[in-house]
Amino acid sequence: MGWIITFISEDNPTSQVSVIRNKSSAAPHPDLSIEVEDVDQMFAKAKEQHIEVVYPITDEPWGVRRFFVQDPNGKVINILSHL
């Protein structure tokens, strides 16, 4: 996609590290991504706990459903599941 590179373990393909280029867009840029089994459950839990959601839950065209939260230190966390 030109803005993300993902490194995947040959021995454990679910173990992945992604490096993301920030193009200084107006949208929030995640500092960290965490893949979870049920992103909708995590979204409901974040809302229940009044955690600041800075990017709404969205089905992205590249096959993930995700949302971003901001931690107390200002770091943006991308929480996602593959569709």
Side-chain angles (χ1 to χ4, degrees), residues 8-78:
I8 302 170
S9 168
E10 290 181 9
D11 297 331
N12 180 6
T14 60
S15 178
Q16 303 177 10
V17 173
S18 295
V19 178
I20 301 169
R21 180 184 329 152
N22 183 356
K23 292 188 176 184
S24 300
S25 68
H29 178 75
D31 296 293
L32 171 73
S33 291
I34 301 172
E35 185 169 353
V36 297
E37 190 171 335
D38 186 344
V39 71
D40 291 294
Q41 180 184 24
M42 293 296 104
F43 182 73
K45 189 175 241 184
K47 297 295 275 182
E48 179 182 295
Q49 295 179 359
H50 305 288
I51 296 171
E52 183 179 1
V53 174
V54 295
Y55 183 80
I57 194 155
T58 304
D59 291 339
E60 302 291 5
W62 53 89
V64 298
R65 182 167 174 78
R66 68 183 184 158
F67 67 99
F68 300 169
V69 296
Q70 188 164 345
D71 80 2
N73 296 310
K75 298 297 181 187
V76 176
I77 302 168
N78 174 24

